[in-house]
Every structure is written in C-alpha cells, then in structure tokens.
C-alpha cells in the first residue's frame, strides 16, 4: 500500500505538470509513460473503490499529495479519489488545452489506436452535436439565462458544491471555489450571475439539504455589486424561484429591491419615476419584481405586502403620486392586478 | 500527373465545390445538403484515407493532390460534417496520415503546423472563457461537459417536440413545423450518437398534423440504417413510428432478416428465434397490425417463389411464434384481436392453429389435429362456397400451417405413437406440409412412397416385437434406399426425413434401430444436419424446452454421426438444396416482390398513405 500511495503522489504531480509549460520537454516516450500512469490510476480506482479501508488510505494519500503540491503549478482543483476513474481523460484534457505541448504529441492524439484518441474523437463529436442542436434555439433572441449551456454549467457547479459539503472545511472550500471563478471571469459578471442562478435552482434530489444553496446565497451577499447584477440580469420569474428555495437570498433580495426603490427619482415634468443608476432598474421593472413575489405563494404575498407597507410608512404614508416610490408601486399593483 | 492525384478530376471538383459551398456557414440549407450527401461523403473520405495511407510522405501527397489540405481543412471546420461519427473518424485519421513525425522541408513543417491549428480549433473553439474557468475549478473535462450539455439539450428538445405535437393537435397554435423538420435534418447527422436517441425517438413519434413537420426522408433512411446495423437503439414505440412512416424502411428491415436467415442454412430454432426477436419485427408487428400485414406479405412473396425452402419455412414459423408471444405481452386494451392480423382466416381455424401444443392436454391432441386437418383440406366443390368462411386459396392455408409449424411436429409425434388405422389424416397433414403445390398425380406418388416408408419404419421400431438384427438391417437398407432415390425431390425427401427422424425420436422402439437408421444417413452429411435441425425444432416446440431423454439421446447419436461424416457444414446435396442453394436468388425474388408493391406494381398498392388502408382488402381478395 505504501508503494501505491507513492505512485499516487507521482500521478498527482504528473497531472499538475501536464497543464504547465514544462510539458514542452515531454517527448513521445514521456507522453506514453504519462498515459501508462494515468491508466494505472484508473485500475487502482476500479480495484479499490468498493474497499472502504483501502479507499480511505488512498484518499489520505491524495490529500497529503495535494497539500504537498500546494498549488505550486497554478490554480487547479485538488485531485480526489473519484477523479482516479478518469485519469486518462484528465490528462488528455490538460495536454490538449496546453499550448506548450510538444508538436510530436499531435500525432499521438490523432493515432486511432492511441490512448488519447477516444478523448479527442468524443470531444469533437460532442462539440459538433451540441453546436448542431444549438441551431434549434437560434431563432430566439438573446437566450441569456435560458441558454441550455447555462443550466448545464450551473448544475455542474452545484454538483461540485454539494460534494464539498461532505468535507469538514466545506464552507472555506466552497468560498475559495466561487472566489476563484469570479476572479477569473471578471469581465463576465452577467454570465457568472446566470450560472450561479442555475446552480441555485438545480438541486432537486430528495436528500438535498439545501446547504450548498445557502452557501451560494451567503457568498452572493459578500459582493453587493454582483448581487445587484444577479437580481438585475436574471428573468424576474427565475429570481422568484430562487427566493422560494433560499431563505437567505430572500432577505438579500428584499434589501436590493429597497435600495433600487431609493435610486428612483420622480420627474415632475415627465410625470413619472426615472432611473438614476445603471445598477438599478426602472419603475416598471421594480413593479414587475414585486408583482412576481406577490403571485409566488400566499406566504410570500403576505411577506411582500408587509414589506411594501413598511416602505410606504417609512416614506410618510403618502397617497399622492410622485412622493413615495413604494406608495406608487402599490397603486400600480392595485390598478393592474393580475 | 493530374492535380487531383488518383481521383477523377470531376469527382474532386464536385467535392471541393461542396466543401467550399458548405464552408462554415451553418445554415439550414447547408445542414440539409450535408445530410443529403452524407453517405457519399463517407465513401469519398474512406477512399481518400486509403490513398493517404499508401502515400510515401506528406510532401508527395501535397504535390500529387494539392486539394487534399484545403478539402480536409474546410470539412474539419464544418460541425455538420464533424457531427457524423464516421466522417469524423475518417477526417481525423486523414490528419494523422498527413502529420509527419520528422518533417522534411518547409511544406511538411507547414502541414504539421496547420494540423495543429485545425486540432486547436476543433478542441477549444466556441467554448467561452467562463465555461473553461468553471470546468477547471470544478475539475470537469471539456469532453464530459459537452457530453452533459448534449444530454441536457436533448432532454429540452424532447420536451419541446412533445409539447409541439400536443399543441398542434389541440389548438393548432403557433406552427413549430419548420423547427421540427429542421431538427429531423440535424438528427440525420446524429443517428449514431447514443445521446441523441431520445430526440430521434420523439421526432419519429411526433404526429405530423402539418405536412411541413414531416421528418425528412434522409432522416428516416439514416435512422433505419443505423437501427439495422445496431448502431442506434430506439424504444419500441419509436421503431413502430419509424416503420409506419416509412414503408421502405420496414421492407429493408424485413429483407435484412430474410438475408440473415437465408445466409445461415439452418440455425437451430432457438437461435433463429433470437435472430427474429433481435430484428424487432415481431414486437413492432404486435404493436401495429398494418406493419404485421406488410411483413407477412413480404414473407409470403418470398415463400411463393421457394415454398420448399426449409430455411424460409422455419423463419416464418419462428416469426409467428415470436409475434404471438409479443402480442400476448401487449396490454389487452392496447391490442387488436388476432383476427385483425389474419383477416382471411376463419377465427375457429386460426385459434386452433395458434394454440400452443404445450397448453393443451396431450390426449386432446389427436382430435385437435383432426379438426385442423379437416379445416385445411380443400373441400371438393369449394367454388360453391362449401366453406365460405375462408377468404383465401390453398397457398394461404398452407402458409397458415407453415406459420404454425408446431402442429406439424405434433402430427409427427402422433403418427409414431398412434394406431396405424387412424393415421391417414396425420399423413395427409404431413403431405400437405411438404407438397403444398403438387398436383394430384405427384401427390399420389409421394403418398405411396410415404406409405412404404411408414411400413418399414413401423416394423423397424416395433417395441412389442423388435425385428431380429438381419430383418432390422433389411428395413434400414430399404429406408436408406428410399432416401437416396428421392434425394433429388426435395419435397419427398423432406417428408421421408421427417418420418424417419420422428420414429427415431418418438417411438418406444429400440434405440439400436435409430442408431442403424441414422447411420445410413451419414453418406449424406446434409441429411444429418437437416435431421438435427428437425430435432431441435421438436424439442423447442413440443416439450416447451424441457429435456426429453430420448430426444437428447437421438441428438447425441446424430452428433456422433455428424462427426463421422467429417462434415459439420452442409454442402452440395441437401434435401432442401434444390430450393435453397441459391440464397441470393431467393432474396432477389423477395426484393422484387417487395419492390412490386412499393411501386404500385401488379398489386396496385399506392404509397405511402394509402398503403395500410388498402392492405386488408388486398389480402382478402388474393385467394
């Protein structure tokens, strides 16, 4: 077992290196050796995944190896026991996305009987198939949140977070994961918001205790700007769904709606409420947000009514148009009740 | 040398033209054109790959056929082409052949660089930075992600298609026909992608209220080919929908089964039934009566041309057995009565024939067979509608017996065990089975031969007073002589063999007699093979698969005899040889029959919509 643990540490290092520029030094023989190691790890998984005791030992070895590596080769997720089952694919994936890869490796990938060919062939096939089917949505305007890829990515992220919930330091690891993603997708906050919403909405299994959801909602509140983007770019109906599944998000959302209301100014000449911040929404959109909450469920209706009444009271309980946003929102909701 | 290398200039021009035309513009028109040319493209890419493999170097290839680089490059950038598994495999292998391990000169260096670029494009294009970041941090590979995304897209589209079909029926609301049709064209390129199977099924099952929503012909063809080559697995209902929509596909499926069965002279009944079940035809037929009628009619047409072919008769029997089993498994509220499937047969006769012998007490067998025989016999003066319940001629009556051949096996068993005085109806049934279309004279002759054989068989297998060895030898010699004398007359030889094997298997006479009798067969190894097939049929049909010690014993003896003949494979002279030796001719016959009714032909059945409604009167009027 000791030797196996050493081998595992070697593989952890190998996979980490496979994504770096050092790969340029790997010749054909080195690549073949790398694939043999990857296959060996797959066999280890096949042999030990039902053997609880051995599995625990190997998991320990992996943890140690990951810690020793300590992110020396850049940011990437720690290798876990379940990953051993698809070591070859992980290796292929790293190599194929690595621009430093030696030219001679190309032939290895293209070799129909070689170890990397199935990955290459299947990846190209799946990509082409998804590209082909994406045409079915083409006629629709900007799909945004409704792009099927968003739901898939959200579910994958959620799956990972659910896995992390089983670890002792689940919260720190989850926050690290979400931080890293946000960090690297700075210019894509809208996209990140979509994926987070999809992650929030994707847990449906019976034994789902909703912990991962609360972690996401907590994390969202740390970044006020992202939270606003989240509430602004998502379809109103989807936000209401998120409200239904996460109590923590419900509170944060209420605050966002209040702050949006404060950004609106009444234009006497135009006779209507005007949006003053790009980070907020128009009066009409604000009404839609409240209307969606009122229609969601009896308890949400009660709660939302209460919030609106409180807002109105705080504004001075005016009934005259143009003095209080919340008062006008209430009037608008009453006049155009569904 | 021409600049198109080993390929005709016009062919290269055509394909280059297509590659340029298709380009990267992934429009519905391109998609349609790629789907239409897919088969030819695969063939061309296959040829190209062969040429590249035998070429000395990339430099040589580029000089002899400079179009290759551009051609492959353009196709690799077209996801309609790379979506097809076979084309994709060919393209990648072409690139592999063109990649120089040790590039010589700038041309090969450039080619290598180009291949690397193509690969890079294929692998990472269209994946946004966000996707790659998320995947990296959750530890998913791009392959797994795209496979998951494909599954998700398929699930969403399946929902859409189902909803579209519902709304069309109920409200005829927004027309989504173009979208449904477009999806069917897309799926033409995904027929070998298992993840797309649910969508393919939903498209097939989507009722086409509007003609614009009908799946494309190329799609139906591609799905059927993939299904028949077992590269696509569909739900039963989808298969039924496919064959209901496309009669040509159903015919292809039926003819493929015929070809498969006829190419293996006589597999044991059990194996045959596995092949038949694997074709999905019995199950689809049980779910859809029109499909059953078409399939039956193709078999009927094939048998008309070769009524003596045992392989065909066994196939028909196996098909009917599997069909009845499948029909029995359909929920009663979802199935039509059996009479709908056999519209020209009186219900009493039908029920008597489809009854499984194992489901009746053995002492009821003689009366049951007597009744069947009487029903099947052509009544004298039938033109006076002596039996108005039949709506077909003698061929169809015979066909019905062939379909339910288990009762012929029962007749064999009873003939051996019952009193010779009451055996005439049983002999008639066996005669009818083996000589369906002979005239009176021929039948009388054959009857005389059968009676002679029966005389010797009864004497040889008499358990009350077994003949002494010299007499036993005499009987065996006479029987052997009869078999040899009639080996050129398949029907008679088949009847003689059946009688002999029945006595070996069912009599309580000495096994030594069976050993002697089977031993004389070894001069004709084919007879031994036929006998083994008959025996497995007996075992399968009569004992319901239960081990019968005597049957087993006889089978063992036969196997020993077969080893003695030094040939396990039938060849040359077989009792069926005259009919079944030319398998391809048989299949051609059947194909022609099939084509005849798909093109209107002598039966004047127009396609495709009129087909099912016109089948019943056609069958009824064909007596």
């Amino acid at each position: 077992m000791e030797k196996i643990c050493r081998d595992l540490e070697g593989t952890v290092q190998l996979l980490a290196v496979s994504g770096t520029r050092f790969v340029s030094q790997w010749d054909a023989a080195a690549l073949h050796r790398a694939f043999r190691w990857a296959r060996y790890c797959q066999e280890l998984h096949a042999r030990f995944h039902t053997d609880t005791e051995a599995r625990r030992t190997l998991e320990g070895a992996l943890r140690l190896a990951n810690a020793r590596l300590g992110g020396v080769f850049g940011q990437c997720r720690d290798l876990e026991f379940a990953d051993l089952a698809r070591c070859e694919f992980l290796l292929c994936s790293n190599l194929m996305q690595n621009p430093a890869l030696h030219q001679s490796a190309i032939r290895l990938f293209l070799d129909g009987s070689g170890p990397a060919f199935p990955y290459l062939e299947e990846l190209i096939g799946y990509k082409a198939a998804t590209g082909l089917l994406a045409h079915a949505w083409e006629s629709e305007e900007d799909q945004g949140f409704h792009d099927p890829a968003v739901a898939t990515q959200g579910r994958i992220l959620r799956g990972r977070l659910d896995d992390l919930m089983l670890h002792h330091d689940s919260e720190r690891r989850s926050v690290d994961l979400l931080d890293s993603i946000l960090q690297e997708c700075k210019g894509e906050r809208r996209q990140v918001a979509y994926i987070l919403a999809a992650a929030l909405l994707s847990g449906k299994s019976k034994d789902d205790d909703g912990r991962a959801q609360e972690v996401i909602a907590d994390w969202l509140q740390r970044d006020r700007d992202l939270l606003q983007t989240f509430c602004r770019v998502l379809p109103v109906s989807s936000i209401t769904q998120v409200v239904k599944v996460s109590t923590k998000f419900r509170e944060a959302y209420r605050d966002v709606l209040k702050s949006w209301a404060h950004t609106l100014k009444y234009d006497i000449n135009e006779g209507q409420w005007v949006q003053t911040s790009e980070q907020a929404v128009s009066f009409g959109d604000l009404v839609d947000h409240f209307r969606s909450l009122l229609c969601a469920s009896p308890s949400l209706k009660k709660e939302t009514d209460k919030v609106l009444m409180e807002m109105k009271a705080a504004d001075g309980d005016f009934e005259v148009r143009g003095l209080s946003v919340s008062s006008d929102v209430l009037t608008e909701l009453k006049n155009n009740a569904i | 040398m021409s600049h198109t290398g080993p390929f005709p200039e016009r062919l290269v021009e055509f394909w280059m033209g297509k590659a340029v035309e298709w380009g990267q513009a992934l429009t519905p028109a391109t998609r349609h054109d790629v789907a239409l040319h897919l088969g030819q493209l695969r063939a061309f890419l296959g040829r190209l790959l062969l040429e590249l493999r035998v070429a000395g170097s990339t430099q040589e290839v580029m000089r002899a056929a400079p179009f290759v680089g551009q051609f492959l490059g353009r196709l690799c950038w077209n996801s309609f082409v790379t979506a097809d598994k076979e084309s994709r495999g060919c393209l990648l292998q072409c690139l592999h052949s063109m990649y120089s391990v040790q590039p010589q000169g700038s041309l090969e260096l450039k080619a290598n660089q180009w291949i690397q670029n193509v690969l890079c494009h294929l692998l990472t294009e269209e994946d946004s930075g966000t996707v790659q970041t998320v995947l990296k941090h959750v530890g998913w590979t791009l392959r797994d992600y795209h496979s998951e995304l494909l599954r998700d897209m398929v699930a969403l589209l399946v929902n859409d298609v189902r909803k579209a079909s519902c709304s069309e029926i109920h409200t005829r609301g927004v027309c989504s026909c173009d979208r449904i049709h477009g999806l069917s064209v897309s799926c033409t390129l995904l027929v070998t992608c298992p993840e797309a199977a649910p969508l393919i099924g939903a498209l097939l099952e989507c009722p086409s209220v509007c003609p614009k929503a009908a799946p494309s012909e190329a799609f139906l063809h591609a799905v059927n080919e993939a299904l028949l080559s077992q590269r696509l697995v569909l739900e039963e209902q989808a298969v039924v929908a496919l064959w209901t929509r496309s009669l040509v596909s159903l015919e292809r499926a039926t003819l493929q089964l015929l070809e498969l069965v006829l190419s293996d002279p006589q597999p044991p009944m059990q194996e045959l039934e596995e092949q038949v079940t694997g074709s999905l035809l019995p199950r689809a037929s049980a779910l859809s009566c029109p499909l059953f009628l078409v399939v039956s009619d193709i078999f009927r047409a094939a048998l008309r041309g070769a009524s003596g072919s045992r392989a065909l008769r066994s196939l028909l029997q196996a098909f009917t057995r599997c069909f009845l089993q499948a029909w029995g498994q359909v929920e009663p509220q979802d199935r039509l009565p059996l009479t709908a499937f056999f519209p020209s047969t009186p219900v009493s006769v039908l029920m008597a024939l489809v009854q499984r012998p194992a489901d009746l007490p053995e002492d009821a067998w003689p009366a049951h067979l007597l009744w069947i025989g009487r029903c099947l016999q052509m009544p004298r003066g039938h033109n006076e509608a002596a039996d108005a319940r039949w709506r077909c001629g003698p061929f169809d009556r015979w066909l019905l017996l062939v379909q339910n051949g288990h009762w012929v096996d029962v007749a064999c068993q009873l003939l051996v065990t019952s009193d010779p005085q009451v055996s005439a109806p049983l002999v008639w049934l066996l005669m009818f089975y083996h000589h369906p279309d002979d005239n009176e004279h021929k039948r009388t002759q054959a009857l005389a031969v059968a009676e002679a054989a029966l005389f010797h068989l009864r004497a040889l297998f008499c358990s009350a007073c077994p003949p002494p060895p010299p007499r036993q030898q005499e009987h065996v010699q006479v029987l052997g002589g009869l078999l040899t004398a009639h080996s050129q007359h398949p029907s008679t030889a088949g009847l003689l063999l059946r009688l002999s094997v029945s006595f070996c298997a069912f009599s309580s006479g000495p096994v030594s007699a069976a050993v002697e009798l089977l031993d004389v067969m070894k001069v004709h190894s084919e007879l031994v093979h036929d006998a083994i097939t008959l025996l497995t049929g007996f075992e399968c049909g009569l004992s319901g698969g239960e081990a019968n010690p005597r049957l087993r014993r006889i089978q063992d003896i036969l196997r020993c005899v077969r080893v003695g003949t030094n040939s396990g494979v039938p060849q040359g002279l077989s009792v069926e040889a005259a009919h079944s030796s030319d398998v391809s001719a048989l299949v051609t016959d059947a194909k022609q029959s099939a084509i005849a009714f798909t093109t209107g032909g002598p039966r004047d059945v127009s396609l495709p919509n009129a087909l099912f409604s016109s089948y019943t009167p056609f069958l009824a009027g064909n007596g």
Side-chain angles (χ1 to χ4, degrees), chain A residues 75-77 83 86 89-91 93-94 96-99 101-112 117-140 146-158 160-161 176-177 180-182 184-185 188 191-192 195, chain B residues 26-28 31 79-80 82-85 88-89 92-93 95-101 103 109 112-113 115-116 119 121-154 156-157 160 179 183 185-187 189-190 193 195-196 199:
Chain A
Q75 282 273 331
C76 65
R77 178 167 79 69
D83 297 325
R86 50 196 192 101
F89 276 3
L90 287 173
L91 180 61
S93 174
N94 285 352
M96 279 181 202
Q97 289 178 69
N98 191 341
L101 187 63
H102 193 265
Q103 271 218 346
S104 64
I106 302 294
R107 206 177 145 84
L108 179 77
F109 286 130
L110 288 168
D111 179 5
F117 187 78
Y119 180 86
L120 175 77
E121 198 268 342
E122 287 174 21
L123 171 56
I124 296 171
Y126 285 133
K127 272 175 75 100
T130 51
L132 193 62
L133 291 182
H135 286 263
W137 282 273
E138 213 166 50
S139 56
E140 291 164 26
H146 297 296
D147 181 344
V150 166
T152 308
Q153 290 165 36
R155 214 184 52 244
I156 290 173
L157 176 60
R158 176 62 184 271
R160 178 66 197 153
L161 289 171
D176 283 353
L177 168 67
S180 311
I181 291 174
L182 185 67
E184 286 179 43
C185 303
E188 300 279 347
Q191 203 61 26
V192 173
I195 296 170
Chain B
L26 303 178
T27 62
R31 181 179 55 190
S79 61
F80 292 156
T82 53
D84 176 53
K85 191 176 173 68
R88 182 168 70 242
L92 289 176
Q93 288 176 63
L95 294 183
H96 180 243
S97 298
M98 284 187 71
Y99 196 90
S100 317
V101 184
L109 271 172
N112 277 5
Q113 186 59 49
I115 291 172
Q116 197 167 2
L119 265 190
H121 160 78
L122 283 171
L123 291 174
T124 53
E125 212 239 0
E126 280 175 19
D127 289 318
S128 68
T130 326
V131 180
Q132 301 201 16
T133 305
V134 171
L135 295 182
K136 184 178 86 182
H137 288 290
V138 298
W140 271 55
T141 66
L142 266 180
R143 177 216 163 271
D144 294 342
Y145 163 67
H146 278 280
S147 144
E148 192 74 3
L149 175 58
L150 177 60
R151 265 180 250 268
D152 287 352
M153 283 178 144
V154 165
L156 286 170
L157 289 170
D160 278 6
R179 190 162 179 235
L183 273 177
V185 179
S186 294
C187 285
L189 305 166
L190 299 178
C193 173
E195 288 81 1
L199 178 57

Side-chain angles (χ1 to χ4, degrees), chain A residues 293-294 297-309:
Chain A
L293 285 175
L294 289 169
S297 70
S299 65
L300 264 177
K301 181 177 167 23
K302 200 171 157 195
E303 198 182 307
T304 311
D305 272 333
K306 194 175 152 218
V307 169
L308 278 166
M309 293 313 284

Side-chain angles (χ1 to χ4, degrees), chain B residues 329-409:
Chain B
Q329 286 162 355
V330 180
E331 291 295 322
Q333 67 271 18
D334 296 335
R335 68 182 185 206
L336 285 176
L338 266 186
T339 44
F341 295 82
F342 299 88
S344 50
T345 310
V347 62
S348 54
V349 187
L350 180 65
M351 290 311 164
L353 274 162
V354 300
Q355 175 108 48
R356 289 189 330 156
D359 294 341
L360 272 186
E362 282 194 30
D363 53 2
W365 286 358
H368 196 79
L369 269 176
L370 205 64
W371 158 253
I372 288 174
R374 215 179 293 142
C375 293
L376 291 174
Q377 263 184 46
M378 178 69 89
R380 302 273 169 208
H382 62 99
N383 50 353
E384 290 160 26
D387 192 346
R389 290 170 308 166
W390 282 96
R391 292 191 292 274
C392 61
F395 178 76
D396 288 286
R397 293 170 195 218
W398 173 75
L399 196 66
L400 200 63
L401 183 64
V402 171
Q403 285 170 324
N404 300 288
H406 43 257
W407 285 110
V408 178
D409 296 340

